[in-house]
Amino acid sequence: RVDTVETGRVVLADGRELPADAVVVGIGARPATGWLAGSGIALDPSGAVTADERLRTSLPDVYAVGDCASYPSARYGERLLVHHWDNALQGPRTVAATITGADTGPYDPVPYFWSEQFGRFVQYAGHHADADELLWRGDPAEDTWSVLWLRAGVPVALLAVGRPRDLAQGRKLIETATAVDPARAADPSVPLKAAVR
Ligand SMILES: Cc1cc2nc3c(=O)[nH]c(=O)nc-3n(C[C@H](O)[C@H](O)[C@H](O)COP(=O)(O)OP(=O)(O)OC[C@H]3O[C@@H](n4cnc5c(N)ncnc54)[C@H](O)[C@@H]3O)c2cc1C
């Protein structure tokens, strides 16, 4: 068990020290939906409730939102299971609209999360599984930098560390599928909104 991580070394809980330049921490989560067995609510092999584009389950009048539910994303062309706070906040809006008859359309937001890691403000928007180009904006050895993923020149995801303006502008480009000029988008002194092709 790790006690502390310092530059160049890791100190374990039992006091041993290991030399390390980097530590990779893998954390996973699986929906605890075993209690739904036999209910008529369809689950995928990972246990996620397979909701439709309005977050309806396979059982009439039963909806699923948040960490337990995957939904078909037309934006990304695949079913997404998003384990982020923002997804748990946005999904219920679609469900409430559907229940009350004020249909607001399919649920298909640009996924988003923020976190604070080692004193740095980390934000991510989008889904980069199908990206074909990765652009660095700034040097990851510095305190602030971003990574932008493109597909056919169009931003599909962005990770920003201490660059909330990149996140805000990049998120809009992702939402509107607006192509950018890669050379300008890779220049951290150029605002992302000014890198539009
Ligand atoms: C350590 C950690 C760090 C995270 N950090 C971030 C972050 O920095 N940014 C971010 O965006 N997201 C983060 N997340 C993810 C975020 O917390 C989740 O996406 C969000 O809480 C999901 O909300 P939810 O309502 O879908 O599920 P939950 O918040 O898990 O709520 C589900 C509730 O259902 C209850 N429950 C389960 N089974 C039953 C049952 N059978 N009967 C009754 N009640 C039941 C549970 O006890 C729980 O209270 C983090 C998660 C973890 C674990």
Side-chain angles (χ1 to χ4, degrees), residues 8 28 37 55 63 65 74 91 96 100 107 111 121 126 129 149 168 179 189 193-194 197:
L55 303 177
Y63 298 77
V65 297
T100 58
Y107 181 70
F121 186 41
W149 286 268
S189 69
K193 64 181 179 188
R197 217 191 277 161

Side-chain angles (χ1 to χ4, degrees), residues 32 35 65-68 82-86 88 112-116:
W35 61 280
V65 297
D67 278 15
C68 74
V82 178
H83 284 180
H84 300 152
W85 227 58
D86 190 62
Y112 167 72
F113 79 79
W114 68 269
S115 191
E116 206 178 299

Side-chain angles (χ1 to χ4, degrees), residues 65-121:
V65 297
D67 278 15
C68 74
S70 72
Y71 61 91
S73 167
R75 185 188 296 280
Y76 292 104
E78 63 179 292
R79 184 166 272 283
L80 296 184
L81 177 61
V82 178
H83 284 180
H84 300 152
W85 227 58
D86 190 62
N87 177 56
L89 287 176
Q90 303 298 332
R93 290 171 211 254
T94 294
V95 171
T98 305
I99 291 172
T100 58
D103 192 358
T104 50
Y107 181 70
D108 201 10
V110 172
Y112 167 72
F113 79 79
W114 68 269
S115 191
E116 206 178 299
Q117 299 292 332
F118 302 100
R120 289 183 170 82
F121 186 41

